[in-house]
Amino acid sequence: MSRLEGQVALITGSSSGLGRATALAMAKEGANVVVNYIGRQEAADEVVDKIQAMGRGAMAYRADVSVEEQVQAMFAAAIEEFGALDTLVNNAGLQRDANLIDMSLADWNKVIDVNLTGQFLCAREALRHFMAREERPEVSKARGKIICMSSVHEAIPWAGHVNYAASKAGVMMMMKSIAQEVGPMNIRVNSIAPGAIRTPINTSAWETPEAYSALMELIPQRRIGEPEDVGNVAVWLASDESDYVHGASIFVGGGMMLYPGFADGG
């Protein structure tokens, strides 16, 4: 349990859901963790307490990832606290759902600002740090790693969620373009694309037996994902075990990308 020993990870939106699971999974593997949050400080503090109880370093930092000055201040504080950064997990995201004809410009902009522009701002700060410092071969073969949290909806259209699907498709192409740009610098960039995961953002999809049964029709593996399923993949992508994985979207969705509607011939 030490694949990330001595590394420092900054995980946006890590006071709950996928970010929380990723923060705890990376700490279990030896990483010190910066827990970013925007809402409930007590939730972020709880994650910090759990990480520190493992004997790892942790700090909570409140920042809106869509605000440039706050992102820059967060990275500066993280580097001041731990001396370096090895992995960024671009996880913060949200939904503001409506049919397109009813969607407000404010809701369109908010989702794009957080889900896509926020990932751009954080990736840019991480890259500036990676490129300004010496490599750290004692903790990682790569100069730095960026893991973007995308969605199966980077590829699957989603009526009623046009802003969210567009933001995640943008994350996919942004990730691949950054990977192409920085690969020669020994910086690895990849995405995790979760499907249906048991998190607060999609409670309505699994909280009742009827909703869960309908959801299972979309998942060949016939179970909902748990946050730890995503956290475990993030650990692998941050570790040297995945050192030759670059520019990849890894789908974690129980087979949602297999077009289950065609299982019986369509």
Side-chain angles (χ1 to χ4, degrees), residues 188-220:
R188 293 197 294 110
V189 187
N190 294 287
S191 287
I192 300 173
I197 309 293
R198 199 189 307 270
T199 62
I201 198 172
N202 61 7
T203 301
S204 62
W206 54 263
E207 66 179 343
T208 68
E210 295 77 15
Y212 192 88
S213 178
L215 180 63
M216 290 305 101
E217 295 300 315
L218 303 176
I219 305 174

Side-chain angles (χ1 to χ4, degrees), residues 8-242:
V8 180
L10 189 158
I11 305 165
T12 65
S14 49
S15 61
S16 66
L18 299 182
R20 180 182 188 275
T22 298
L24 295 176
M26 288 192 169
K28 288 177 183 177
E29 290 286 347
N32 301 314
V33 180
V34 181
V35 177
N36 162 253
Y37 70 101
I38 189 61
R40 296 171 52 240
Q41 181 176 344
E42 60 271 24
D45 289 341
E46 179 190 11
V47 178
V48 167
D49 290 344
K50 286 182 177 294
I51 292 171
Q52 291 177 338
M54 301 177 199
R56 314 303 182 191
M59 64 178 286
Y61 196 95
R62 186 183 189 279
D64 182 338
V65 297
S66 68
V67 178
E68 183 177 30
E69 295 80 6
Q70 293 186 30
V71 168
Q72 291 172 337
M74 174 173 64
F75 275 78
I79 293 163
E80 180 179 1
E81 176 71 17
F82 293 112
L85 178 69
D86 301 286
T87 299
L88 164 67
V89 182
N90 251 335
N91 170 74
L94 50 77
Q95 292 177 215
R96 295 285 187 271
D97 304 330
N99 290 329
L100 186 64
I101 61 172
D102 300 317
M103 184 176 292
S104 68
L105 178 60
D107 282 349
W108 170 271
N109 285 339
K110 184 65 174 178
V111 170
I112 298 298
D113 285 349
V114 173
N115 293 9
L116 183 54
T117 304
Q119 292 212 21
F120 152 71
L121 290 171
C122 290
R124 188 182 65 178
E125 289 306 305
L127 288 173
R128 286 173 173 172
H129 170 66
F130 296 155
M131 294 168 66
R133 65 159 169 80
E134 297 294 325
E135 296 195 34
R136 285 158 47 89
E138 70 278 10
V139 299
S140 178
K141 292 180 180 178
R143 178 182 290 274
K145 286 96 46 166
I146 296 174
I147 302 168
C148 297
M149 201 63 73
S150 185
S151 166
V152 293
H153 295 293
E154 72 175 41
I156 300 174
W158 201 14
H161 307 76
V162 171
N163 48 1
Y164 182 84
S167 73
K168 294 304 185 178
V171 166
M172 180 270 289
M173 191 53 69
M174 181 187 71
M175 178 277 291
K176 290 180 180 293
S177 298
I178 296 172
Q180 187 183 69
E181 184 174 319
V182 304
M185 304 165 194
N186 195 27
I187 297 170
R188 293 197 294 110
V189 187
N190 294 287
S191 287
I192 300 173
I197 309 293
R198 199 189 307 270
T199 62
I201 198 172
N202 61 7
T203 301
S204 62
W206 54 263
E207 66 179 343
T208 68
E210 295 77 15
Y212 192 88
S213 178
L215 180 63
M216 290 305 101
E217 295 300 315
L218 303 176
I219 305 174
Q221 203 171 346
R222 293 296 189 266
R223 75 168 177 89
I224 194 169
E226 302 297 338
E228 292 74 18
D229 291 318
V230 174
N232 291 337
V233 175
V235 166
W236 181 72
L237 283 174
S239 76
D240 284 348
E241 291 177 1
S242 62

